[in-house]
Amino acid sequence: MATIERVDILVTSPGRNFVTLRITTSDGVTGLGDATLNGRELAVAAYLRDHLAPLLAGRDPARIEDTWQYLYRGAYWRRGPVTMTAIAAVDVALWDIKGKVAGLPVYQLLGGRSRDGVLVYCHASGADVPALLDDVDAYREKGFRAIRAQAAVPGLSGSYGVRKGTIYEPAATALPDEQGWDTEAYLDFAPRYLAAVRERLGSGIHLLHDVHHRLTPIEAARFGKSVEELRLFWMEDPTPAENQDAFRLIRQHTTTPIATGEVLNSIWDVRQLITEQLIDYVRTTVVHAGGITHLRRIFDLAALYQVRTGSHGATDLSPVSTAAAVHVDIAVSNFGIQEHMGHTEETLNVFRGGPRLENGMLHPSEEPGLGVEYDDELAARYPYEPRYLPVARRLDGSLHDW
Ligand code: CS2
Ligand code: MG
Protein backbone atom coordinates (compact mmCIF):
# COMPACT_ATOMS: atom_id res chain seq x y z
CA MET A 1 0.00 0.00 0.00
CA ALA A 2 1.36 3.44 -0.93
CA THR A 3 1.58 6.01 1.86
CA ILE A 4 1.80 9.82 2.01
CA GLU A 5 5.52 10.46 2.04
CA ARG A 6 5.97 14.19 1.45
CA VAL A 7 3.80 17.29 1.94
CA ASP A 8 4.95 20.57 0.37
CA ILE A 9 3.31 23.94 1.02
CA LEU A 10 4.17 26.05 -2.03
CA VAL A 11 3.75 29.84 -1.84
CA THR A 12 4.27 31.82 -5.03
CA SER A 13 3.19 35.16 -6.44
CA PRO A 14 3.12 35.20 -10.28
CA GLY A 15 1.26 38.50 -10.43
CA ARG A 16 -0.76 37.59 -7.29
CA ASN A 17 -0.31 35.32 -4.27
CA PHE A 18 -1.21 31.63 -4.41
CA VAL A 19 -0.72 28.88 -1.84
CA THR A 20 -0.62 25.31 -3.20
CA LEU A 21 -0.39 22.03 -1.36
CA ARG A 22 1.46 19.16 -3.03
CA ILE A 23 1.23 15.66 -1.62
CA THR A 24 3.69 13.00 -2.83
CA THR A 25 3.12 9.30 -2.15
CA SER A 26 5.69 6.55 -1.53
CA ASP A 27 5.01 5.48 -5.15
CA GLY A 28 6.06 8.95 -6.34
CA VAL A 29 2.54 10.01 -7.36
CA THR A 30 1.84 13.71 -6.67
CA GLY A 31 -1.41 15.58 -6.10
CA LEU A 32 -2.10 19.32 -5.99
CA GLY A 33 -4.64 21.29 -3.94
CA ASP A 34 -5.28 25.04 -3.97
CA ALA A 35 -4.96 26.59 -0.49
CA THR A 36 -5.31 30.26 -1.42
CA LEU A 37 -7.38 32.49 0.87
CA ASN A 38 -7.09 36.00 -0.54
CA GLY A 39 -5.58 38.41 2.02
CA ARG A 40 -5.02 35.66 4.62
CA GLU A 41 -2.80 33.30 2.58
CA LEU A 42 -0.10 32.76 5.22
CA ALA A 43 -2.66 31.66 7.83
CA VAL A 44 -3.62 28.68 5.65
CA ALA A 45 0.02 27.96 4.76
CA ALA A 46 0.87 27.82 8.48
CA TYR A 47 -2.19 25.67 9.29
CA LEU A 48 -1.10 23.20 6.65
CA ARG A 49 2.62 23.30 7.48
CA ASP A 50 2.36 23.31 11.29
CA HIS A 51 -0.81 21.33 11.95
CA LEU A 52 -1.90 19.15 9.03
CA ALA A 53 1.35 18.04 7.34
CA PRO A 54 2.51 16.18 10.50
CA LEU A 55 -0.84 14.32 10.59
CA LEU A 56 -0.68 13.24 6.94
CA ALA A 57 2.73 11.54 6.92
CA GLY A 58 2.31 7.78 6.54
CA ARG A 59 -1.46 7.87 5.87
CA ASP A 60 -3.03 5.92 3.01
CA PRO A 61 -3.69 8.50 0.24
CA ALA A 62 -6.56 6.39 -1.07
CA ARG A 63 -8.60 7.00 2.12
CA ILE A 64 -10.02 10.37 1.06
CA GLU A 65 -13.24 10.25 3.09
CA ASP A 66 -11.45 9.00 6.22
CA THR A 67 -8.82 11.72 5.89
CA TRP A 68 -11.54 14.35 5.45
CA GLN A 69 -13.33 13.19 8.61
CA TYR A 70 -10.01 12.89 10.48
CA LEU A 71 -9.04 16.50 9.68
CA TYR A 72 -12.54 17.96 10.18
CA ARG A 73 -13.52 16.21 13.40
CA GLY A 74 -9.93 16.04 14.62
CA ALA A 75 -9.62 19.85 14.64
CA TYR A 76 -12.27 19.91 17.40
CA TRP A 77 -12.81 23.61 16.51
CA ARG A 78 -15.35 23.49 13.70
CA ARG A 79 -15.40 25.17 10.33
CA GLY A 80 -14.14 28.61 9.28
CA PRO A 81 -12.34 29.72 6.10
CA VAL A 82 -8.80 28.87 7.23
CA THR A 83 -9.63 25.37 8.46
CA MET A 84 -11.92 24.52 5.54
CA THR A 85 -9.44 25.86 2.96
CA ALA A 86 -6.65 23.77 4.48
CA ILE A 87 -8.85 20.65 4.52
CA ALA A 88 -9.93 21.45 0.96
CA ALA A 89 -6.33 21.56 -0.26
CA VAL A 90 -5.64 18.12 1.21
CA ASP A 91 -8.89 16.74 -0.20
CA VAL A 92 -8.36 18.00 -3.74
CA ALA A 93 -4.74 16.80 -3.74
CA LEU A 94 -5.92 13.31 -2.76
CA TRP A 95 -8.54 13.29 -5.53
CA ASP A 96 -5.76 14.34 -7.96
CA ILE A 97 -3.68 11.36 -6.75
CA LYS A 98 -6.63 8.96 -6.95
CA GLY A 99 -7.27 9.99 -10.54
CA LYS A 100 -3.62 9.53 -11.47
CA VAL A 101 -3.48 6.10 -9.80
CA ALA A 102 -6.71 5.07 -11.61
CA GLY A 103 -5.51 6.60 -14.90
CA LEU A 104 -8.74 8.66 -15.10
CA PRO A 105 -9.62 12.38 -15.08
CA VAL A 106 -11.26 13.22 -11.74
CA TYR A 107 -14.71 13.82 -13.28
CA GLN A 108 -14.80 10.12 -14.24
CA LEU A 109 -14.47 9.28 -10.54
CA LEU A 110 -17.43 11.58 -9.80
CA GLY A 111 -19.90 9.76 -12.02
CA GLY A 112 -18.72 10.89 -15.46
CA ARG A 113 -20.10 13.62 -17.67
CA SER A 114 -23.62 15.00 -17.15
CA ARG A 115 -23.11 17.66 -19.86
CA ASP A 116 -20.96 18.45 -22.87
CA GLY A 117 -19.30 21.50 -21.38
CA VAL A 118 -19.32 23.90 -18.41
CA LEU A 119 -21.04 27.24 -19.13
CA VAL A 120 -18.97 30.10 -17.69
CA TYR A 121 -19.49 33.79 -17.07
CA CYS A 122 -16.84 36.48 -17.35
CA HIS A 123 -16.46 39.93 -15.79
CA ALA A 124 -17.21 43.08 -17.80
CA SER A 125 -16.64 46.38 -16.04
CA GLY A 126 -16.06 50.06 -16.68
CA ALA A 127 -15.26 53.35 -15.01
CA ASP A 128 -18.43 54.69 -16.65
CA VAL A 129 -21.31 53.34 -18.72
CA PRO A 130 -19.72 53.75 -22.18
CA ALA A 131 -16.59 51.93 -20.99
CA LEU A 132 -18.72 49.17 -19.49
CA LEU A 133 -20.70 48.74 -22.71
CA ASP A 134 -17.47 48.52 -24.75
CA ASP A 135 -16.22 45.83 -22.34
CA VAL A 136 -19.48 43.92 -22.64
CA ASP A 137 -19.19 44.03 -26.45
CA ALA A 138 -15.60 42.78 -26.27
CA TYR A 139 -16.56 39.76 -24.15
CA ARG A 140 -19.57 38.96 -26.33
CA GLU A 141 -17.29 38.99 -29.37
CA LYS A 142 -15.01 36.51 -27.56
CA GLY A 143 -17.93 34.12 -27.46
CA PHE A 144 -19.06 34.45 -23.85
CA ARG A 145 -22.75 33.70 -23.36
CA ALA A 146 -22.95 34.98 -19.80
CA ILE A 147 -21.48 38.30 -18.68
CA ARG A 148 -21.29 39.95 -15.27
CA ALA A 149 -21.54 43.74 -15.37
CA GLN A 150 -20.09 46.15 -12.79
CA ALA A 151 -19.51 49.89 -13.15
CA ALA A 152 -17.95 52.52 -10.89
CA VAL A 153 -20.55 54.47 -8.92
CA PRO A 154 -20.00 58.16 -9.73
CA GLY A 155 -18.49 60.14 -6.90
CA LEU A 156 -17.17 57.15 -4.94
CA SER A 157 -13.44 56.56 -4.43
CA GLY A 158 -12.88 53.02 -5.67
CA SER A 159 -15.73 50.76 -6.73
CA TYR A 160 -16.09 47.02 -6.39
CA GLY A 161 -15.47 45.00 -9.50
CA VAL A 162 -14.04 47.66 -11.82
CA ARG A 163 -10.94 46.30 -13.53
CA LYS A 164 -7.73 48.28 -13.91
CA GLY A 165 -5.66 46.54 -16.58
CA THR A 166 -6.24 43.07 -18.03
CA ILE A 167 -7.65 41.22 -15.00
CA TYR A 168 -9.59 42.52 -11.99
CA GLU A 169 -7.41 42.23 -8.87
CA PRO A 170 -8.94 43.60 -5.67
CA ALA A 171 -6.04 42.60 -3.37
CA ALA A 172 -3.63 45.10 -4.88
CA THR A 173 -2.10 46.92 -1.89
CA ALA A 174 0.27 46.08 0.99
CA LEU A 175 -2.36 47.42 3.42
CA PRO A 176 -6.14 47.48 2.88
CA ASP A 177 -7.18 50.19 0.43
CA GLU A 178 -10.04 52.29 1.88
CA GLN A 179 -12.83 52.64 -0.67
CA GLY A 180 -15.92 54.84 -0.38
CA TRP A 181 -19.48 53.51 -0.31
CA ASP A 182 -22.89 55.19 -0.60
CA THR A 183 -25.90 52.90 -0.78
CA GLU A 184 -28.28 55.54 -2.14
CA ALA A 185 -25.90 56.41 -4.97
CA TYR A 186 -25.54 52.70 -5.81
CA LEU A 187 -29.29 52.02 -5.69
CA ASP A 188 -29.85 54.97 -8.02
CA PHE A 189 -27.08 54.16 -10.49
CA ALA A 190 -26.73 50.38 -10.73
CA PRO A 191 -30.24 49.66 -12.13
CA ARG A 192 -29.64 52.34 -14.78
CA TYR A 193 -26.33 50.94 -16.01
CA LEU A 194 -27.64 47.38 -15.91
CA ALA A 195 -30.59 48.50 -18.06
CA ALA A 196 -28.12 49.98 -20.54
CA VAL A 197 -26.24 46.67 -20.64
CA ARG A 198 -29.43 44.64 -21.12
CA GLU A 199 -30.42 46.94 -23.99
CA ARG A 200 -26.96 46.44 -25.57
CA LEU A 201 -27.03 42.65 -25.07
CA GLY A 202 -30.62 41.94 -26.08
CA SER A 203 -32.13 38.73 -24.72
CA GLY A 204 -29.73 36.01 -25.88
CA ILE A 205 -26.92 36.60 -23.37
CA HIS A 206 -27.13 36.01 -19.60
CA LEU A 207 -26.58 39.16 -17.53
CA LEU A 208 -25.26 38.85 -13.96
CA HIS A 209 -24.46 41.38 -11.26
CA ASP A 210 -22.60 41.18 -7.95
CA VAL A 211 -23.99 43.39 -5.15
CA HIS A 212 -21.07 42.15 -3.06
CA HIS A 213 -22.72 41.99 0.40
CA ARG A 214 -23.48 45.74 0.40
CA LEU A 215 -27.23 46.04 1.09
CA THR A 216 -29.58 45.49 4.00
CA PRO A 217 -32.31 42.93 3.27
CA ILE A 218 -34.95 45.57 2.48
CA GLU A 219 -32.49 47.51 0.29
CA ALA A 220 -31.71 44.24 -1.50
CA ALA A 221 -35.43 43.63 -1.96
CA ARG A 222 -35.75 47.14 -3.42
CA PHE A 223 -32.79 46.53 -5.73
CA GLY A 224 -34.14 43.15 -6.86
CA LYS A 225 -37.54 44.66 -7.67
CA SER A 226 -35.96 47.55 -9.58
CA VAL A 227 -34.13 45.19 -11.99
CA GLU A 228 -36.82 42.50 -12.45
CA GLU A 229 -37.60 43.46 -16.04
CA LEU A 230 -33.87 43.17 -16.89
CA ARG A 231 -34.14 39.41 -16.29
CA LEU A 232 -30.80 39.08 -14.48
CA PHE A 233 -29.42 35.56 -14.39
CA TRP A 234 -28.78 36.43 -10.74
CA MET A 235 -28.05 39.18 -8.27
CA GLU A 236 -25.12 37.96 -6.22
CA ASP A 237 -24.50 38.45 -2.50
CA PRO A 238 -27.34 40.99 -2.13
CA THR A 239 -26.83 41.05 1.66
CA PRO A 240 -24.25 39.46 4.03
CA ALA A 241 -25.06 35.74 4.02
CA GLU A 242 -24.21 34.90 7.63
CA ASN A 243 -27.79 35.86 8.44
CA GLN A 244 -29.55 33.22 6.36
CA ASP A 245 -32.95 34.41 7.70
CA ALA A 246 -32.41 37.78 6.01
CA PHE A 247 -32.97 36.22 2.59
CA ARG A 248 -36.62 35.46 3.45
CA LEU A 249 -37.37 39.17 3.37
CA ILE A 250 -35.70 39.59 -0.03
CA ARG A 251 -37.59 36.59 -1.38
CA GLN A 252 -40.92 38.07 -0.28
CA HIS A 253 -40.40 41.09 -2.50
CA THR A 254 -38.66 40.07 -5.68
CA THR A 255 -38.35 37.33 -8.28
CA THR A 256 -34.83 38.36 -9.29
CA PRO A 257 -32.79 35.16 -8.84
CA ILE A 258 -30.31 35.17 -5.93
CA ALA A 259 -26.80 33.67 -5.68
CA THR A 260 -24.66 33.55 -2.58
CA GLY A 261 -22.03 31.45 -0.84
CA GLU A 262 -18.54 32.38 -2.03
CA VAL A 263 -17.48 33.50 1.45
CA LEU A 264 -19.13 30.50 3.12
CA ASN A 265 -17.28 27.28 3.79
CA SER A 266 -19.54 24.47 4.98
CA ILE A 267 -22.91 22.85 4.36
CA TRP A 268 -24.14 24.32 7.64
CA ASP A 269 -23.57 27.85 6.35
CA VAL A 270 -25.91 27.29 3.40
CA ARG A 271 -28.29 24.65 4.80
CA GLN A 272 -31.18 27.02 5.55
CA LEU A 273 -30.63 29.03 2.35
CA ILE A 274 -30.98 25.79 0.38
CA THR A 275 -33.68 23.94 2.30
CA GLU A 276 -35.95 27.03 2.44
CA GLN A 277 -35.14 27.80 -1.22
CA LEU A 278 -34.02 31.29 -0.22
CA ILE A 279 -31.43 31.25 -3.01
CA ASP A 280 -31.37 29.96 -6.59
CA TYR A 281 -27.60 29.35 -6.93
CA VAL A 282 -25.07 28.26 -4.33
CA ARG A 283 -21.56 29.68 -4.87
CA THR A 284 -19.42 27.61 -2.53
CA THR A 285 -16.12 26.38 -3.98
CA VAL A 286 -13.71 23.45 -3.96
CA VAL A 287 -11.02 25.63 -2.40
CA HIS A 288 -12.90 27.30 0.48
CA ALA A 289 -15.63 24.75 1.29
CA GLY A 290 -13.72 21.66 2.23
CA GLY A 291 -12.72 20.36 -1.20
CA ILE A 292 -14.45 18.05 -3.69
CA THR A 293 -15.68 15.72 -0.92
CA HIS A 294 -17.61 18.41 0.96
CA LEU A 295 -18.65 20.46 -2.05
CA ARG A 296 -20.41 17.42 -3.51
CA ARG A 297 -22.45 17.14 -0.30
CA ILE A 298 -23.48 20.78 -0.59
CA PHE A 299 -24.39 20.40 -4.26
CA ASP A 300 -26.34 17.17 -3.65
CA LEU A 301 -28.36 18.88 -0.88
CA ALA A 302 -28.95 21.80 -3.24
CA ALA A 303 -30.21 19.44 -5.96
CA LEU A 304 -32.98 18.18 -3.63
CA TYR A 305 -34.32 21.78 -3.41
CA GLN A 306 -33.83 22.77 -7.06
CA VAL A 307 -30.95 25.06 -6.15
CA ARG A 308 -28.27 25.04 -8.83
CA THR A 309 -24.52 25.45 -8.58
CA GLY A 310 -22.80 28.73 -9.41
CA SER A 311 -19.30 28.41 -7.97
CA HIS A 312 -17.08 31.38 -7.35
CA GLY A 313 -14.12 31.44 -9.75
CA ALA A 314 -12.24 34.71 -9.33
CA THR A 315 -8.56 35.11 -10.19
CA ASP A 316 -7.62 34.58 -6.55
CA LEU A 317 -8.72 30.95 -6.85
CA SER A 318 -5.75 29.27 -8.53
CA PRO A 319 -5.79 27.24 -11.76
CA VAL A 320 -5.78 24.14 -9.54
CA SER A 321 -9.17 25.26 -8.21
CA THR A 322 -10.39 26.03 -11.72
CA ALA A 323 -9.48 22.51 -12.82
CA ALA A 324 -11.08 20.86 -9.78
CA ALA A 325 -14.21 23.01 -10.14
CA VAL A 326 -14.69 21.98 -13.78
CA HIS A 327 -14.33 18.28 -12.91
CA VAL A 328 -17.16 18.75 -10.39
CA ASP A 329 -19.24 21.03 -12.66
CA ILE A 330 -19.19 18.62 -15.63
CA ALA A 331 -20.45 15.78 -13.42
CA VAL A 332 -23.08 17.21 -11.02
CA SER A 333 -26.75 17.01 -12.02
CA ASN A 334 -27.71 20.53 -10.84
CA PHE A 335 -24.98 22.59 -12.47
CA GLY A 336 -25.93 26.22 -13.06
CA ILE A 337 -22.91 28.25 -14.14
CA GLN A 338 -19.20 28.60 -13.32
CA GLU A 339 -17.49 31.94 -12.76
CA HIS A 340 -14.32 32.23 -14.80
CA MET A 341 -12.27 35.42 -14.54
CA GLY A 342 -9.22 33.67 -15.95
CA HIS A 343 -5.56 34.00 -14.96
CA THR A 344 -2.56 35.92 -16.30
CA GLU A 345 -0.04 34.26 -18.58
CA GLU A 346 2.49 34.55 -15.72
CA THR A 347 0.20 32.44 -13.54
CA LEU A 348 -0.60 29.93 -16.27
CA ASN A 349 3.12 29.37 -16.85
CA VAL A 350 3.48 28.27 -13.23
CA PHE A 351 0.28 26.18 -13.21
CA ARG A 352 0.36 24.37 -16.54
CA GLY A 353 -2.53 22.42 -18.05
CA GLY A 354 -6.10 22.34 -16.84
CA PRO A 355 -9.46 22.94 -18.57
CA ARG A 356 -9.85 24.36 -22.09
CA LEU A 357 -12.05 27.44 -22.76
CA GLU A 358 -14.05 27.27 -25.98
CA ASN A 359 -17.14 29.28 -27.04
CA GLY A 360 -17.95 30.40 -23.52
CA MET A 361 -17.60 26.94 -22.02
CA LEU A 362 -14.84 25.18 -20.08
CA HIS A 363 -13.94 21.55 -20.85
CA PRO A 364 -12.02 19.43 -18.33
CA SER A 365 -8.60 18.01 -19.10
CA GLU A 366 -8.70 14.32 -20.07
CA GLU A 367 -5.35 13.77 -18.30
CA PRO A 368 -5.46 11.48 -15.23
CA GLY A 369 -6.24 13.43 -12.07
CA LEU A 370 -6.93 17.18 -12.25
CA GLY A 371 -4.65 17.73 -15.27
CA VAL A 372 -2.54 20.54 -13.74
CA GLU A 373 1.24 20.54 -13.18
CA TYR A 374 3.18 23.01 -10.98
CA ASP A 375 6.50 24.45 -12.17
CA ASP A 376 8.61 24.76 -9.00
CA GLU A 377 11.54 26.47 -10.69
CA LEU A 378 9.39 29.18 -12.24
CA ALA A 379 7.29 29.53 -9.09
CA ALA A 380 10.43 30.21 -7.02
CA ARG A 381 11.01 33.38 -9.04
CA TYR A 382 7.84 34.94 -7.58
CA PRO A 383 8.18 35.43 -3.80
CA TYR A 384 5.12 36.15 -1.65
CA GLU A 385 4.13 39.77 -1.29
CA PRO A 386 1.73 40.95 1.45
CA ARG A 387 -1.52 41.96 -0.27
CA TYR A 388 -4.85 42.82 1.35
CA LEU A 389 -8.40 43.13 0.13
CA PRO A 390 -9.87 46.64 0.42
CA VAL A 391 -12.26 47.83 3.10
CA ALA A 392 -15.29 50.03 2.45
CA ARG A 393 -16.26 53.09 4.42
CA ARG A 394 -19.56 54.95 4.26
CA LEU A 395 -19.63 58.71 3.66
CA ASP A 396 -19.64 59.28 7.44
CA GLY A 397 -16.43 57.23 7.73
CA SER A 398 -17.98 54.16 9.38
CA LEU A 399 -16.97 50.75 8.12
CA HIS A 400 -19.21 48.94 5.64
CA ASP A 401 -19.00 45.49 4.00
CA TRP A 402 -16.56 45.60 1.12
C1 CS2 B 1 -16.16 38.49 -6.31
C2 CS2 B 1 -14.70 38.29 -6.08
O1 CS2 B 1 -15.81 37.16 -8.22
C3 CS2 B 1 -16.64 37.52 -7.37
O2 CS2 B 1 -17.82 37.17 -7.34
O3 CS2 B 1 -16.97 38.44 -5.21
O4 CS2 B 1 -14.02 39.13 -6.95
C4 CS2 B 1 -14.22 38.56 -4.67
O5 CS2 B 1 -14.35 39.94 -4.40
C5 CS2 B 1 -12.77 38.12 -4.55
O6 CS2 B 1 -12.66 36.79 -4.94
C6 CS2 B 1 -12.26 38.30 -3.13
O7 CS2 B 1 -10.96 37.78 -3.02
MG1 MG C 1 -18.89 37.74 -5.67
Side-chain angles (χ1 to χ4, degrees):
M1 175 196 86
T3 59
I4 292 175
E5 191 165 81
R6 185 186 164 105
V7 176
D8 294 300
I9 292 87
L10 308 164
V11 182
T12 183
S13 189
R16 70 154 350 274
N17 293 316
F18 293 110
V19 180
T20 306
L21 176 76
R22 179 169 55 212
I23 293 176
T24 306
T25 72
S26 49
D27 289 348
V29 180
T30 61
L32 295 176
D34 184 12
T36 307
L37 185 64
N38 202 4
R40 295 295 184 274
E41 295 88 354
L42 298 186
V44 182
Y47 192 108
L48 285 164
R49 182 186 59 243
D50 301 337
H51 298 298
L52 296 199
L55 305 184
L56 293 171
R59 285 187 65 86
D60 177 355
R63 298 183 64 176
I64 298 178
E65 181 66 41
D66 183 63
T67 298
W68 197 95
Q69 297 295 335
Y70 178 60
L71 298 182
Y72 180 81
R73 298 168 190 262
Y76 183 72
W77 312 106
R78 296 291 168 109
R79 301 187 284 164
V82 174
T83 295
M84 297 306 279
T85 299
I87 292 174
V90 174
D91 185 77
V92 173
L94 294 180
W95 277 104
D96 193 10
I97 288 168
K98 193 175 277 290
K100 289 179 178 177
V101 168
L104 291 170
V106 167
Y107 77 83
Q108 291 290 17
L109 306 177
L110 304 178
R113 284 176 181 278
S114 294
R115 56 193 51 76
D116 298 332
V118 168
L119 176 68
V120 298
Y121 74 89
C122 58
H123 282 206
S125 66
D128 55 29
V129 178
L132 171 60
L133 294 176
D134 289 346
D135 215 32
V136 164
D137 285 345
Y139 278 109
R140 176 167 42 181
E141 276 145 40
K142 287 177 187 165
F144 284 96
R145 292 146 49 183
I147 299 175
R148 190 188 86 166
Q150 310 286 145
V153 178
L156 293 186
S157 67
S159 272
Y160 166 67
V162 179
R163 189 180 69 241
K164 296 183 184 85
T166 53
I167 279 192
Y168 174 58
E169 176 51 75
T173 49
L175 288 172
D177 180 31
E178 304 231 339
Q179 299 183 353
W181 175 252
D182 176 13
T183 296
E184 276 314 307
Y186 168 80
L187 287 173
D188 172 63
F189 184 57
R192 287 193 280 124
Y193 75 70
L194 289 169
V197 174
R198 175 53 79 199
E199 189 184 344
R200 178 68 67 95
L201 285 176
S203 58
I205 304 265
H206 294 308
L207 172 57
L208 302 88
H209 179 68
D210 193 346
V211 182
H212 217 259
H213 324 279
R214 304 287 173 100
L215 302 177
T216 65
I218 197 65
E219 291 166 348
R222 181 177 148 200
F223 174 79
K225 277 177 75 76
S226 71
V227 295
E228 275 180 4
E229 83 232 26
L230 304 183
R231 300 180 317 290
L232 295 189
F233 185 87
W234 74 37
M235 64 175 168
E236 178 184 336
D237 285 328
T239 196
E242 303 97 298
N243 178 1
Q244 299 182 54
D245 286 326
F247 287 71
R248 282 201 199 103
L249 194 144
I250 304 170
R251 263 320 202 209
Q252 284 162 10
H253 291 279
T254 181
T255 57
T256 294
I258 299 172
T260 202
E262 71 179 55
V263 297
L264 304 176
N265 47 75
S266 87
I267 199 163
W268 300 104
D269 303 326
V270 293
R271 183 194 62 75
Q272 183 186 357
L273 292 167
I274 290 171
T275 58
E276 294 186 25
Q277 294 177 314
L278 299 178
I279 59 174
D280 302 278
Y281 299 90
V282 60
R283 285 186 45 76
T284 40
T285 66
V286 285
V287 57
H288 299 135
I292 291 170
T293 298
H294 195 61
L295 192 67
R296 290 175 82 195
R297 298 209 153 93
I298 293 172
F299 287 176
D300 287 347
L301 175 68
L304 295 180
Y305 292 90
Q306 295 176 290
V307 173
R308 285 178 281 177
T309 73
S311 284
H312 183 210
T315 307
D316 45 276
L317 284 64
S318 90
V320 175
S321 273
T322 307
V326 173
H327 282 290
V328 174
D329 292 339
I330 202 91
V332 293
S333 65
N334 56 323
F335 171 73
I337 200 164
Q338 170 65 50
E339 178 175 3
H340 183 58
M341 282 175 64
H343 292 97
T344 62
E345 198 177 325
E346 231 177 350
T347 295
L348 297 174
N349 289 336
V350 173
F351 298 89
R352 289 197 306 275
R356 174 177 43 87
L357 178 64
E358 206 169 275
N359 298 327
M361 298 181 94
L362 281 172
H363 301 271
S365 162
E366 291 298 334
E367 289 299 310
L370 296 176
V372 180
E373 293 305 324
Y374 186 88
D375 184 326
D376 290 75
E377 196 183 317
L378 197 52
R381 294 185 202 165
Y382 302 107
Y384 168 81
E385 297 179 357
R387 287 287 180 271
Y388 285 89
L389 284 166
V391 296
R393 287 193 182 274
R394 303 180 189 103
L395 300 183
D396 68 359
S398 55
L399 209 72
H400 194 71
D401 291 288
W402 175 73

